[in-house]
């Protein structure tokens, strides 16, 4: 039996840029909801949600941790309600902010129903805030904004709120304002209810409802009217009443605001300081009041693999079972854990489930409900819940698990391609054997991490989303799998493509007595738009090549694509059409056609004006004005395109009167080791963020250098 009905379940994520305070918020949530008995501080390396050693040492989140907790709204607590009917289950995923781990945010948002977006009260919206916001837009996730760190020097609720309106959405509506700022920050005013709240006790665990301080009454009234007007605009019935001069009740306002938040018409904005234990309980209230339960969202859509028709699954225990595996993690105690979100139906431990993508039956050994770093074993899991399964062999990230009599394929998660690679070689023979296993384990966990062998040198190349990403991978190999390895210098993951259309012939004929080899094809290669990948078209008419040899030709082309044409980098964004050829009754074989396909593609690509592509990064540097000249000069020497310069008010903490923000697009090849460079150019006072933007043609002189370097 379910302990909590589905309408009293919330699946939410906590997302933001680096250092906005996501993990601190999550730690407070665990404490106030009674999951943990002490607050784990990130800066002391004690955070429960950051349970990996690497996370605790560096003070950053690397993997998204899932946990379950329970909450009764503050109003009911103040009223002394012990009624279980008011309590709700909240499943929370704390996500990383660092752009190298963007995959963690991507997959978390794909399976969540709502999100709390956290902002730093000093910096407001940062470049990565924009990235996670766009990811949430992609999956239409309803969200609440929480402006954190209002106790810091230089904090401004108004500025942060203005930056949300300006840079993210004009649908943001404040439903709270702070009492005091910086060192005087003392609590919050909830102006929907027109009450203020203080947080007493050593850890702010006691929430006290008080009257609004005199100096804030006027502001509260003003913002109350502003919020009410915005809310009634979304509800025709309320609008009529409001225009007739009737003040909407708090219950009606909340109800209307909830519908508007779920449909994406309004984003409520609240405030607090997690580190100082203020405002987190009210944030949990906002999750209950305004974010959706699985039932409030439209049914999840998928494709029936047998008929190819679109089907729906309603969030309900009676429906056929469907779930999406969104994360695979190695666990030292139970082997492999597969995290999944149940969209419909129920699942019992010990039963069988059907992996639709792999067309495989899998047995569910155990089902675990995760509480950050400890786990509770459950017999059954229901619609709308997040759990982890033990015993799944074939299931990878993005696979759909379903009832085998009612299969469905849910929308997959699309991951970005890696942009940086390093050579890695084991130190000893024993390490060599262990390394292969370790790398494959890690690649199973992380879809943005790739392993590739260099055929010419026999080296192993590992590729990922950034320097930090690969550094963590190597570190995990050392600690978890006891593999020591030497790591080369980071290399850019260049790509190749073609600029024009060309045709070519590929012949592989060996006929000398006995059984020979005969494969002969004509191909046409043409460029496609950026990001389209590879497309193969079979245009053979009239049987000039028998159907059974066509897959072999495609395979030969694919192998040739991976090898590249100019400098050995994979070819992308190309469409290849097989339009003619010939075969021999006796001598033709799949092998011969595969080789012919590979030869023809190489020839085609050489004629089609091949070029190199390089990853371009979006870089934002925040720098005190006096160092502006040195930094822009340095960026220009890295072939950067400076797109915008703007000013940002200085933060009192560093004593910089005015800070300049430089936004630029820079080729990745010039950005290795940039943090050290930036420190020395700015006396350690500048900071930067970088994320992948797109691939672009490499200038001719640079391309020549790269090609010559590869051939050495």
């Amino acid at each position: 039996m379910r302990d909590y009905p589905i309408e009293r379940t919330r699946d939410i994520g906590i997302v933001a840029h680096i250092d906005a305070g996501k993990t601190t918020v999550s730690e407070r949530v665990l404490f106030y909801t009674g999951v943990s008995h002490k607050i784990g501080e990130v800066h002391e390396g004690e955070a429960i949600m950051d349970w990996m050693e690497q996370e605790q040492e560096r003070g950053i989140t690397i993997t998204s941790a899932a946990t379950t907790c329970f909450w009764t709204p503050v109003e009911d607590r103040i009223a002394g309600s012990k009624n279980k009917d008011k309590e709700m289950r909240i499943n929370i995923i704390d996500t990383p902010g660092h752009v190298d781990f963007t995959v963690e945010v991507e997959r978390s948002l794909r399976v969540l129903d709502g999100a709390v977006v956290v902002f730093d009260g000093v910096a407001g919206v940062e470049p990565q805030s924009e990235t996670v916001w766009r990811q949430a837009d992609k999956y239409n996730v309803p969200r609440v904004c929480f402006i954190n760190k209002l106790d810091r020097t230089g904090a401004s609720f108004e500025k942060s709120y203005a930056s949300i309106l300006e840079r993210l959405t004009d649908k943001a509506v404040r439903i709270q304002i702070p009492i005091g700022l910086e060192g005087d920050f003392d609590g919050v005013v909830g102006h929907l209810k027109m009450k203020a709240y203080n947080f007493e006790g050593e850890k702010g665990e006691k929430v006290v409802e008080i009257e609004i301080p005199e100096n804030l009454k006027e502001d509260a009234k003003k913002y109350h009217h502003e919020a009410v007007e915005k809310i009634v605009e979304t509800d025709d019935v309320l609008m009529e009443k409001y225009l007739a001069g009737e003040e909407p009740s708090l219950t009606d306002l909340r109800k209307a605001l909830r519908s508007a938040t779920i449909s994406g018409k309004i984003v409520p904005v609240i405030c607090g300081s997690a580190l100082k234990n203020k405002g987190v309980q009210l944030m949990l209230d906002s999750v209950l009041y305004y974010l959706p339960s699985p039932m409030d969202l439209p049914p999840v859509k998928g494709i029936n693999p047998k008929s190819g028709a679109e089907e729906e699954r309603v969030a309900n225990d009676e429906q056929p079972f469907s779930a999406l595996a969104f994360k695979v993690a190695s666990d030292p105690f139970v082997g492999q854990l597969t995290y999944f979100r149940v969209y419909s139906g129920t699942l019992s431990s010990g039963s069988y489930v059907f992996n639709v993508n792999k067309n495989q039956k899998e047995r569910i050994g155990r089902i675990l409900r995760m509480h950050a770093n400890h786990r509770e074993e459950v017999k059954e899991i229901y619609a709308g819940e997040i759990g982890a399964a033990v015993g799944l062999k074939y299931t990878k990230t993005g696979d759909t698990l379903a009832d085998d009599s009612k299969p469905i394929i849910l929308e997959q998660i699309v991951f970005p391609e890696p942009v940086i690679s390093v050579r890695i070689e084991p130190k000893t023979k024993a390490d060599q054997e262990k390394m292969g296993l370790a790398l494959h384990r890690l690649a199973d966990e992380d879809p943005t991490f790739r392993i590739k062998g260099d055929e010419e040198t026999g080296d192993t190349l590992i590729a990922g989303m950034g320097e930090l990403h690969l550094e963590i991978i190597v570190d995990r190999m050392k600690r978890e799998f006891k593999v020591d390895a030497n790591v080369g210098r980071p290399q850019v993951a260049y790509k190749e493509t073609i600029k024009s259309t060309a045709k070519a012939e590929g012949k592989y004929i060996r006929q000398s007595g006995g059984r020979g080899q005969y494969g002969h094809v004509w191909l046409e290669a043409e460029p496609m738009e950026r990001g389209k990948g590879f497309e193969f078209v079979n245009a053979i008419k009239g049987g000039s090549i028998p159907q059974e040899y066509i897959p072999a030709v495609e395979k030969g082309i694919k192998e040739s694509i991976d090898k590249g044409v100019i400098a050995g980098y994979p070819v992308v964004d190309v469409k290849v059409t097989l339009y003619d050829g010939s075969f021999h009754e006796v001598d033709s074989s799949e092998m011969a056609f595969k080789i012919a396909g590979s030869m023809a593609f190489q020839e085609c690509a050489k004629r089609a004006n091949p070029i190199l592509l390089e990853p371009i990064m979006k870089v934002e540097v925040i720098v005190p004005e006096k160092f502006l000249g040195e930094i822009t000069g340095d960026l220009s020497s890295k072939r950067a395109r400076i797109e915008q310069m703007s000013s940002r008010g200085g933060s009192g903490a560093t004593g910089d009167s005015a800070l300049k923000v430089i936004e630029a697009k820079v080729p990745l090849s010039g950005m290795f080791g940039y943090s050290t460079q930036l420190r020395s150019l700015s006396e350690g006072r500048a900071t930067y963020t970088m994320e992948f933007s797109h691939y672009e043609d490499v200038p001719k002189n640079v391309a020549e250098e790269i090609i010559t370097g590869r051939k050495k």
Side-chain angles (χ1 to χ4, degrees):
M1 268 298 289
R2 256 184 187 277
D3 346 336
Y4 290 83
I6 193 161
E7 60 272 12
R8 294 213 318 266
T9 301
R10 301 283 182 274
D11 294 324
I12 63 151
I14 296 182
V15 297
H17 63 93
I18 300 173
D19 277 347
K22 293 180 292 298
T23 305
T24 308
V25 168
S26 306
E27 292 297 326
R28 296 313 184 261
V29 167
L30 294 183
F31 176 75
Y32 295 132
T33 55
V35 173
S36 64
H37 299 293
K38 67 176 192 60
I39 294 181
E41 298 292 3
V42 176
H43 53 271
E44 291 166 10
E46 288 175 357
I48 297 169
M49 296 296 266
D50 285 355
W51 50 270
M52 283 170 67
E53 291 172 5
Q54 292 86 341
E55 296 180 312
Q56 292 178 353
E57 288 165 2
R58 297 161 191 256
I60 59 170
T61 305
I62 297 168
T63 79
S64 45
T67 191
T68 299
C69 56
F70 305 94
W71 185 246
T72 307
V74 166
E75 284 178 9
D76 299 310
R77 288 173 177 251
I78 293 173
S81 167
K82 296 279 187 280
N83 189 348
K84 269 274 214 187
D85 291 352
K86 300 281 187 188
E87 192 170 73
M88 302 216 191
R89 164 180 270 139
I90 309 178
N91 300 315
I92 297 178
I93 296 184
D94 173 32
T95 63
H98 198 287
V99 69
D100 281 15
F101 308 110
T102 178
V103 53
E104 290 287 343
V105 184
E106 184 84 25
R107 56 179 162 202
S108 302
L109 286 170
R110 166 70 184 81
V111 297
L112 291 167
D113 299 334
V116 175
V117 188
V118 185
F119 297 91
D120 179 332
V122 177
V125 174
E126 301 212 20
Q128 277 159 3
S129 320
E130 290 187 51
T131 308
V132 290
W133 193 270
R134 301 284 170 260
Q135 282 175 307
D137 280 345
K138 181 167 134 189
Y139 295 117
N140 297 322
V141 176
R143 55 215 95 149
V144 168
C145 295
F146 179 62
I147 297 177
N148 188 22
K149 300 194 176 184
L150 289 177
D151 59 303
R152 276 183 62 196
T153 310
S156 163
F157 175 76
E158 288 304 317
K159 272 190 182 162
S160 302
Y161 177 64
S163 70
I164 295 174
L165 287 174
E166 184 191 334
R167 294 178 68 173
L168 299 178
T169 175
D170 54 1
K171 297 183 174 77
V173 174
R174 56 190 138 194
I175 55 172
Q176 288 179 0
I177 52 173
I179 305 173
L181 278 172
E182 301 181 354
D184 303 326
F185 175 62
D186 199 30
V188 298
V189 172
H191 47 254
L192 278 190
K193 194 176 179 183
M194 290 300 280
K195 288 285 182 198
Y197 296 90
N198 271 347
F199 301 87
E200 294 174 2
E202 193 188 337
K203 301 278 194 292
E205 59 271 17
K206 192 166 177 241
V207 184
V208 183
E209 193 171 281
I210 55 172
E211 291 303 314
I212 297 173
E214 281 300 321
N215 60 338
L216 288 172
K217 274 192 172 159
E218 285 308 307
D219 280 354
K221 277 182 190 159
K222 178 175 117 189
Y223 296 136
H224 174 82
H225 284 301
E226 186 185 288
V228 170
E229 278 180 3
K230 291 266 179 60
I231 294 167
V232 296
E233 275 174 18
T234 63
D235 187 307
D236 293 345
V237 178
L238 273 188
M239 185 74 154
E240 277 179 31
K241 286 183 181 172
Y242 186 70
L243 291 174
E246 192 181 319
E247 181 71 18
S249 69
L250 182 63
T251 313
D252 286 348
L253 279 175
R254 278 182 185 158
K255 197 173 158 191
L257 180 54
R258 176 179 180 82
S259 322
T261 307
I262 293 170
S263 59
K265 291 175 186 162
I266 288 181
V267 178
V269 180
I270 55 177
C271 59
S273 161
L275 192 67
K276 294 287 186 283
N277 308 314
K278 291 181 170 61
V280 175
Q281 295 98 321
L282 299 179
M283 182 258 317
L284 282 169
D285 281 7
S286 304
V287 166
L288 301 193
Y289 289 144
Y290 309 124
L291 289 180
S293 76
M295 286 185 68
D296 297 317
L297 293 171
V300 59
K301 289 186 170 53
I303 303 290
N304 182 331
K306 291 176 181 167
S307 64
E310 190 174 78
E311 287 186 6
E312 289 185 343
R313 291 283 185 273
V314 180
N316 177 326
D317 296 346
E318 309 311 314
Q319 286 261 315
F321 175 73
S322 66
L324 187 78
F326 65 94
K327 181 174 174 147
V328 175
S330 291
D331 186 280
F333 305 107
V334 293
Q336 206 162 325
L337 276 179
T338 310
Y339 286 80
F340 60 94
R341 153 81 196 260
V342 183
Y343 283 99
S344 61
T346 57
L347 181 66
S348 313
S349 58
S351 62
Y352 283 85
V353 21
F354 183 58
N355 180 336
V356 192
N357 301 71
K358 303 281 189 307
N359 206 12
Q360 280 279 1
K361 264 193 146 173
E362 295 248 54
R363 186 174 180 274
I364 302 276
R366 292 154 62 197
I367 300 174
L368 305 172
R369 189 175 284 144
M370 306 307 285
H371 297 276
N373 62 344
H374 88 114
R375 44 184 71 99
E376 162 197 8
E377 196 163 329
V378 291
K379 288 279 174 279
E380 206 162 14
I381 193 157
Y382 302 93
E385 295 195 348
I386 292 174
V390 179
L392 298 180
K393 288 193 182 96
Y394 307 103
T395 305
K396 298 280 181 282
T397 302
D399 286 355
T400 302
L401 301 171
D403 185 333
D404 59 349
S405 60
K406 295 278 178 58
I408 184 169
I409 296 182
L410 301 173
E411 181 198 350
Q412 285 203 299
I413 313 172
V414 179
F415 297 113
E417 285 289 313
V419 291
I420 168 175
S421 63
V422 297
R423 286 181 191 276
I424 182 163
E425 69 181 40
K427 285 190 177 170
T428 63
K429 191 87 177 113
D431 287 328
Q432 192 164 1
E433 287 165 9
K434 286 190 291 190
M435 185 171 95
L437 175 75
L439 288 176
H440 281 288
R441 272 280 189 75
L442 292 167
D444 282 347
E445 282 185 34
D446 186 345
T448 53
F449 170 61
R450 306 281 162 82
I451 314 158
K452 200 167 93 184
D454 188 325
E455 286 176 13
E456 289 167 19
T457 59
D459 292 353
T460 305
L461 286 168
I462 57 172
M465 296 309 292
E467 285 180 87
L468 177 66
H469 184 192
L470 293 178
E471 194 182 309
I472 299 282
I473 292 266
V474 172
D475 194 31
R476 283 187 64 188
M477 266 177 40
K478 204 173 258 173
R479 290 194 200 189
E480 290 171 37
F481 301 96
K482 311 287 184 283
V483 176
D484 257 344
N486 296 322
V487 181
R489 281 187 35 233
Q491 297 170 336
V492 180
Y494 291 102
K495 300 261 190 307
E496 298 178 12
T497 190
I498 55 174
K499 290 287 268 193
S500 56
T501 304
K503 293 179 177 177
E505 175 183 33
K507 268 186 181 172
Y508 182 69
I509 300 173
R510 301 279 181 275
Q511 287 173 308
S512 56
R515 182 80 193 260
Q517 296 283 351
Y518 187 100
H520 172 216
V521 296
W522 276 95
L523 299 180
E524 180 179 41
E526 53 189 299
M528 291 202 295
E529 291 168 46
R530 285 281 176 279
K532 285 284 188 224
F534 164 68
E535 190 183 332
F536 174 72
V537 179
N538 171 19
I540 293 285
K541 304 264 188 318
S544 53
I545 300 175
Q547 276 303 313
E548 70 234 45
Y549 297 134
I550 305 281
V553 177
E554 186 178 357
K555 200 171 171 192
I557 299 170
K558 277 186 176 162
E559 280 184 13
S560 188
I561 274 181
D562 287 343
K563 287 193 189 114
V565 185
I566 330 171
Y569 295 107
V571 182
V572 293
D573 309 330
V574 56
K575 179 178 173 182
V576 179
T577 307
L578 168 66
Y579 67 93
D580 201 3
S582 63
F583 75 106
H584 189 282
E585 289 283 349
V586 180
D587 290 348
S588 280
S589 66
E590 286 188 5
M591 188 66 189
F593 272 102
K594 184 177 145 187
I595 296 171
S598 174
M599 289 162 68
F601 178 76
Q602 285 286 330
E603 191 55 43
C604 242
K606 282 176 187 150
R607 292 177 188 177
N609 193 2
I611 55 160
L612 272 182
L613 297 172
E614 62 181 348
I616 306 289
M617 310 307 276
K618 177 178 160 196
V619 177
E620 185 169 287
V621 186
I622 300 173
V623 52
E625 200 161 359
K626 66 177 208 184
F627 303 109
L628 188 66
E630 286 95 328
I631 294 221
T632 46
D634 179 58
L635 281 171
S636 302
S637 71
K638 299 181 187 306
R639 298 191 284 126
R641 283 198 309 272
I642 294 174
E643 294 192 327
Q644 198 181 345
M645 276 196 208
S646 53
S647 297
R648 188 178 284 177
S651 70
T654 53
D656 296 322
S657 56
L659 293 170
K660 292 286 182 201
V661 180
I662 310 167
E663 287 177 38
K665 294 275 194 328
V666 193
L668 175 61
S669 52
M671 293 304 289
F672 293 136
Y674 187 58
S675 50
T676 319
Q677 239 170 324
L678 191 64
R679 274 202 291 275
S680 61
L681 285 169
S682 67
E683 298 171 9
R685 286 159 68 189
T687 57
Y688 84 108
T689 51
M690 170 166 92
E691 60 187 85
F692 170 67
S693 170
H694 62 283
Y695 269 92
E696 209 170 86
D697 303 7
V698 177
K700 214 166 176 108
N701 56 332
V702 179
E704 279 165 9
E705 278 175 37
I706 297 168
I707 295 164
T708 347
R710 287 283 282 189
K711 287 181 179 162
K712 276 180 187 167

